Amino acid sequence: MRSPSPLLIALLLLGCASTPRVPRDYDLAPAERMYSGHGSWVFVSQRDGETLQGELLAVDGERIVILPLSPARAREIPVKDVRAVKVSRHSGGAGDAIGWAFAGTVSTVSHGFFLLLSAPVWIVTGAVSSHSAVNEVVLDCPPTDPQLRNWARFPQGLPAGFDAGSDSGSDSSN
Amino acid sequence: MRRAIFWLALLVFVGCAKTLDRQEMSTAQLELRQGQGVLRAHLHDGDLVVLEPWQLDLENSRLQGPGRRMDTQRTVVERGVIVLQLEDVALLELDELATAEWATALTAVTFISATVTAACLANPKACFGSCPTFYAGDHLLAEGFSASFAPALEASDLDHLGALEAEAGRVRIEMRNEAFETHYVRSVELLGIPHAEGSMVAADAEGSLWRVRGAGVLLSPHRELLEASDRVEYFSLADSSDLATKEILDLEYAVDADASGPLALMLDSRQSLMSTYLFYQGIAYLGSHYGSWLNSLRGDDPRTGAEGMVELLGGIDIQIRRDDDWTTLQTLAETGPLAIDRKLVPLPASWDPQSEPLRLVMTRGMWRIDAVQLVEIESSTQAISLDLLAVDGAVASADEREASLRDPERHLVTLPGEEFVLEFEALDGPGSYFLRSGGYYVEWMRDGWLKEENPALALAMFHQPAQTLRRLAPQYKLVEGEMESIFWESRYAKP
């Protein structure tokens, strides 16, 4: 109790542990994501155990189309082969919650004796919030979930003649 | 400065706690949200148009607003005011920023935390407790050796606990260190006095115990506050120009006709936080010299230098009027602002309640009086020392803890946040309990106090106490109103 730091770190790491790593160009803040033309970064877990990742281009009842960083070529994955999908809708969430809780915990040095109560409250709230933040930022769903297409570059479906082979994936729209 | 950075960082996090709410919309739904958020129009050819603000013109089947158009590779191909025909649009999305749900709890904690911080920064001497506290469940029973703030001042203290609940022949008392202090507890002894239900036992200033019973009714002003031990206390506020200013509380009783034995006043009281404030202020003025001052106190000469101030502030004088003059029967000066303590003050056998009024004289704003009851002393009594059966706590082994408390040559040393459960043998039947605790404690220096280091003012506290009490009066008055609430809110305990 006298040194809450190890507990703080341990609890907050619980939140970090389940946050997927997203390439920087796709790790956009909510306000940036609104103006971006690209799809969100997606992790597709297949039934054979392999996980593919890339920009979510399009999704329908039959297939998920993603654009990996390398090779930058569109890849179609049949929905029947997909076990689960995780979409990182935007950045923030767990990182913000952890930073917030950490700053709050440190600020309890100004509480004097009361920090014995307020620091653990910060730590526990931070751990719960960071876990909840991960769930809010990362959409974890089956491939048939209708929410999925909201985060695709082409929610209306791949346009005719779209050339994904030459797509760089970088956000030239920003 | 460091605190400012922390709070700035917190504000930044609060501002960043946003999430993106994206909803697919029909034109009918969109019409109800005219102009809100950022509109993303996905076109049949794969282009994307982002508009903000936007306007839906259903009459002419078009969307318009400033924004940009991106091709399928998401290269911007058009900027400025863009007009779209709805027939070209495949799908519409409305993006809005919302406060992240996960931030709700953190925002609430931030608000509470900021309130505590503000209160503590504004009034740091109100935020930190004092001396070892003893509880039965969440009920504060007593505070031990409050006046023993240095090794040289080690002493034992007898506190009235009243009746306690026993379970399986055992009484459980929690001893807590709730402050930034190191406690050196030499002994904790539970004393029990069996008596019939409804009887009372009280200790006098010398520690002798007496069986007593009610012997009269209080008629004075503030009767509703002072007639019973109910934790509804009488208190006044300090004088705004001199903290040593006294007040008088007149006492008038109707003595019961059947009261034939010696009479006494039974006073339930505790200090206000004025003494705590002055103690902490003294430490703050001593600043980096606080440690040397503590070391300078010797067991054979434990004068602190603050005797002048203590004398000016005084205790509670119980006075009687005789021969047109007021005589002090006794002065009670139990230290400690936390737990109410009970003391018995015998009245002269010749006391005539009709012609010899009684009164309390005390420093304004320094005492909280729960009850002043007129009682008849039935007999002296002896307490039974009840066996300490077990000591449970988070530090050291059980044997070590018990050994420390049982061995008069050793101290059980406790640090902030530590608590121990002491299990004692219970009385066989109804009765009253007293707690005798011995030891001393050392108050920790706080960062905030060091900023107030001022050797000249520390010396003035020691050598010019009257002047100091006048000088500190306006300063204390600024915080007096909120000290009690901040003090208790900054602890686990409730008064």
Side-chain angles (χ1 to χ4, degrees):
Chain A
M1 188 59 75
R2 266 171 263 154
S3 174
S5 306
L7 180 61
L8 173 69
I9 292 164
L11 286 172
L12 296 186
L13 282 177
L14 288 176
C16 293
S18 54
T19 308
R21 285 184 66 110
V22 175
R24 189 184 298 176
D25 285 342
Y26 290 90
D27 196 24
L28 303 178
E32 295 172 314
R33 173 61 69 199
M34 292 197 297
Y35 304 101
S36 169
H38 287 280
S40 293
W41 199 255
V42 65
F43 298 80
V44 182
S45 302
Q46 299 185 101
R47 296 192 188 282
D48 63 5
E50 188 185 6
T51 298
L52 302 172
Q53 56 177 294
E55 179 190 340
L56 180 60
L57 290 180
V59 59
D60 57 33
E62 302 294 322
R63 61 182 184 160
I64 294 174
V65 186
I66 67 169
L67 182 66
L69 275 186
S70 177
R73 191 175 302 279
R75 182 162 178 178
E76 287 189 16
I77 309 159
V79 162
K80 63 179 174 55
D81 294 341
V82 177
R83 185 167 47 82
V85 181
K86 279 186 182 178
V87 180
S88 174
R89 291 185 274 206
H90 50 72
S91 65
D96 290 348
I98 290 166
W100 186 346
F102 184 78
T105 306
V106 174
S107 77
T108 60
V109 295
S110 63
H111 293 180
F113 168 74
F114 192 46
L115 82 82
L116 294 172
L117 181 62
S118 56
V121 167
W122 266 111
I123 292 167
V124 172
T125 310
V128 172
S129 298
S130 61
H131 183 72
S132 145
V134 170
N135 293 334
E136 203 163 320
V137 168
V138 178
L139 174 64
D140 192 347
C141 61
T144 50
D145 192 319
Q147 290 184 75
L148 206 50
R149 74 173 191 166
N150 290 346
W151 305 97
R153 188 195 299 190
F154 303 111
Q156 72 276 44
L158 275 184
F162 172 67
D163 178 11
S166 61
D167 197 294
S168 67
S170 63
D171 200 337
S172 59
S173 60
N174 289 331
Chain B
M1 182 62 187
R2 276 177 295 167
R3 285 177 182 148
I5 292 170
F6 287 139
W7 283 106
L8 190 61
L10 272 180
L11 287 175
V12 168
F13 285 119
V14 172
C16 288
K18 298 290 182 191
T19 190
L20 176 56
D21 181 27
R22 174 171 291 176
Q23 293 181 62
E24 196 175 318
M25 292 268 169
S26 66
T27 50
Q29 290 171 314
L30 215 51
E31 194 180 20
L32 299 173
R33 310 282 294 273
Q34 192 76 263
Q36 294 177 14
V38 174
L39 186 67
R40 296 161 60 90
H42 292 271
L43 309 186
H44 291 298
D45 63 3
D47 284 4
L48 171 68
V49 177
V50 180
L51 300 176
E52 185 194 21
W54 53 272
Q55 191 181 6
L56 174 63
D57 181 359
L58 278 178
E59 198 169 309
N60 296 302
S61 291
R62 65 186 186 190
L63 268 171
Q64 61 186 25
R68 56 190 178 172
R69 179 175 184 143
M70 291 166 261
D71 65 14
T72 57
Q73 304 302 322
R74 296 311 186 225
T75 303
V76 176
V77 293
E78 186 183 353
R79 288 179 192 273
V81 176
I82 298 173
V83 180
L84 285 176
Q85 293 302 314
L86 286 178
E87 62 191 23
D88 295 330
V89 177
L91 188 145
L92 291 163
E93 290 172 335
L94 186 64
D95 276 8
E96 289 178 296
L97 289 178
T99 300
E101 285 179 19
W102 58 263
T104 308
L106 282 173
T107 303
V109 172
T110 301
F111 177 77
I112 294 165
S113 202
T115 305
V116 175
T117 296
C120 291
L121 289 180
N123 187 9
K125 294 177 195 71
C127 266
F128 312 100
S130 67
C131 57
T133 43
F134 295 91
Y135 290 81
D138 285 331
H139 176 56
L140 176 60
L141 298 171
E143 52 190 310
F145 46 86
S146 307
S148 305
F149 55 82
L153 302 175
E154 178 166 345
S156 70
D157 189 15
L158 183 67
D159 291 297
H160 173 262
L161 307 185
L164 294 176
E165 278 188 29
E167 194 175 324
R170 291 176 174 228
V171 168
R172 286 166 58 94
I173 292 177
E174 286 175 37
M175 177 175 72
R176 301 179 188 169
N177 182 338
E178 303 185 280
F180 277 130
E181 298 165 352
T182 305
H183 296 165
Y184 299 82
V185 185
R186 189 179 291 281
S187 61
V188 179
E189 185 183 12
L190 187 67
L191 305 171
I193 299 122
H195 59 70
E197 300 237 21
S199 290
M200 296 182 286
V201 174
D204 63 20
E206 283 74 45
S208 300
L209 298 168
W210 304 89
R211 279 202 179 86
V212 299
R213 67 179 182 90
V217 177
L218 184 64
L219 304 172
S220 319
H222 311 299
R223 174 187 167 179
E224 69 283 4
L225 300 174
L226 297 172
E227 66 183 351
S229 304
D230 52 9
R231 296 177 181 269
V232 179
E233 300 166 324
Y234 166 85
F235 66 93
S236 60
L237 295 176
D239 187 82
S240 57
S241 57
D242 185 354
L243 292 181
T245 302
K246 304 293 181 191
E247 69 171 323
I248 294 171
L249 207 55
D250 291 311
L251 303 172
E252 187 185 342
Y253 293 92
V255 182
D256 292 346
D258 62 347
S260 54
L263 297 174
L265 286 187
M266 190 168 73
L267 195 80
D268 293 353
S269 66
R270 63 183 173 114
Q271 287 186 315
S272 75
L273 289 166
M274 184 199 286
S275 53
T276 305
Y277 178 88
L278 292 170
F279 177 44
Y280 290 169
Q281 188 64 66
I283 297 175
Y285 283 157
L286 285 165
S288 56
H289 303 285
Y290 169 57
S292 343
W293 173 71
L294 275 184
N295 280 333
S296 72
L297 305 178
R298 300 288 174 198
D300 54 353
D301 183 15
R303 282 179 295 178
T304 63
E307 285 77 13
M309 183 170 286
V310 170
E311 190 178 334
L312 279 173
L313 291 171
I316 303 171
D317 292 338
I318 293 90
Q319 296 187 340
I320 185 170
R321 186 174 175 84
R322 283 190 156 166
D323 304 327
D324 292 333
D325 202 10
W326 287 98
T327 305
T328 298
L329 295 173
Q330 202 169 99
T331 299
L332 298 178
E334 176 77 11
T335 307
L338 306 181
I340 294 170
D341 192 45
R342 169 173 289 179
K343 283 290 179 288
L344 197 66
V345 180
L347 296 171
S350 59
W351 176 53
D352 175 6
Q354 303 302 323
S355 63
E356 296 177 328
L358 301 169
R359 70 181 190 181
L360 305 182
V361 180
M362 56 196 171
T363 296
R364 273 180 58 182
M366 190 167 166
W367 296 94
R368 288 175 166 261
I369 314 290
D370 184 25
V372 194
Q373 300 175 76
L374 184 67
V375 295
E376 179 183 357
I377 297 175
E378 294 180 320
S379 61
S380 68
T381 186
Q382 295 294 318
I384 303 165
S385 180
L386 299 163
D387 280 349
L388 175 62
L389 302 174
V391 182
D392 192 16
V395 295
S397 68
D399 290 345
E400 176 68 14
R401 289 188 296 268
E402 281 191 46
S404 297
L405 279 179
R406 289 183 196 283
D407 184 350
E409 297 303 312
R410 296 169 63 184
H411 289 104
L412 175 64
V413 181
T414 75
L415 293 171
E418 290 180 350
E419 59 182 61
F420 299 83
V421 178
L422 314 178
E423 287 195 356
F424 291 94
E425 173 195 8
L427 287 170
D428 287 337
S432 292
Y433 290 88
F434 286 77
L435 188 82
R436 180 176 286 138
S437 56
Y440 66 94
Y441 66 99
V442 175
E443 197 75 44
W444 291 10
M445 177 57 78
R446 328 290 207 258
D447 277 350
W449 296 359
L450 279 172
K451 292 173 189 158
E452 293 186 61
E453 179 172 337
N454 190 325
L457 292 179
L459 277 176
M461 273 191 128
F462 294 146
H463 299 296
Q464 298 173 316
Q467 192 183 38
T468 299
L469 289 173
R470 286 194 292 272
R471 190 178 50 75
L472 286 175
Q475 197 174 312
Y476 177 66
K477 290 299 287 182
L478 286 176
V479 298
E480 182 185 24
E482 62 185 11
M483 272 196 82
E484 188 84 10
S485 58
I486 294 173
F487 185 85
W488 287 104
E489 282 167 12
S490 67
R491 302 168 58 85
Y492 292 119
K494 294 279 188 294

